[in-house]
Amino acid sequence: MAIREEELEVYQLAFEMAMQTFQLTKRFPVEERYSFTNQRRRSSRSVWANLAAAWRKRRYRAAFMAKLSASKAEAAATQTWINFAVRCDDLKSEQGQDRSQNYDRLLGKLVKIMHNPSPWLI
């Protein structure tokens, strides 16, 4: 039986981070709801969505790597938004550090897969 993307640790971490972002941004100021909050939610969800797409495209190395690269870029963008939220006092420093460390873990897993994609390909 083939492994489903939902079973992958990196996928689970990306989903959990997207859900945390969603919950956390509910408390952001109303004036940020349609700009900063929306952008942050979209980038965090994109990490997870691109991982799902990568998994479905793993028959084709180039497509798999492109989706992983997109996921990595969105994770880095999300980290940038976390730093911005801390600087704007929308997020406590400890919360920001915790979230950023989780994205560091996620990025590390993505880099590891990208450096040796063969075991993941069909």
Side-chain angles (χ1 to χ4, degrees):
M1 187 159 126
I3 296 174
R4 295 172 43 109
E5 68 267 18
E6 295 92 353
E7 299 174 60
L8 301 174
E9 186 179 338
V10 68
Y11 182 90
Q12 292 169 1
L13 181 57
F15 180 76
E16 182 58 34
M17 294 304 298
M19 291 305 297
Q20 284 180 9
T21 296
F22 178 75
Q23 292 301 323
L24 202 68
T25 55
K26 284 181 176 180
R27 297 189 302 250
F28 281 9
V30 174
E31 65 269 13
E32 295 292 351
R33 185 159 296 146
Y34 298 106
S35 57
F36 175 57
T37 301
N38 183 46
Q39 182 59 42
R40 188 147 168 236
R41 286 177 178 176
R42 287 188 308 148
S43 68
S44 68
R45 288 175 183 155
S46 187
V47 176
W48 168 67
N50 276 297
L51 275 169
W55 190 250
R56 298 299 176 178
K57 293 182 178 237
R58 67 191 190 281
R59 180 173 307 277
Y60 310 101
R61 181 185 173 102
F64 179 69
M65 295 297 283
K67 286 298 183 182
L68 288 177
S69 181
S71 185
K72 190 172 87 169
E74 292 293 343
T78 303
Q79 273 189 313
T80 301
W81 288 116
I82 290 168
N83 294 335
F84 192 79
V86 170
R87 293 293 299 268
C88 293
D89 293 325
D90 293 330
L91 189 61
K92 292 180 183 173
S93 181
E94 304 81 37
Q95 290 176 311
Q97 187 175 14
D98 181 56
R99 302 289 183 289
S100 192
Q101 287 173 348
N102 281 332
Y103 274 101
D104 281 341
R105 280 187 29 230
L106 179 61
L107 284 161
K109 291 177 185 305
L110 290 171
V111 168
K112 186 175 179 181
I113 293 169
M114 291 176 80
H115 279 288
N116 185 21
S118 298
W120 305 97
L121 300 172
I122 296 176

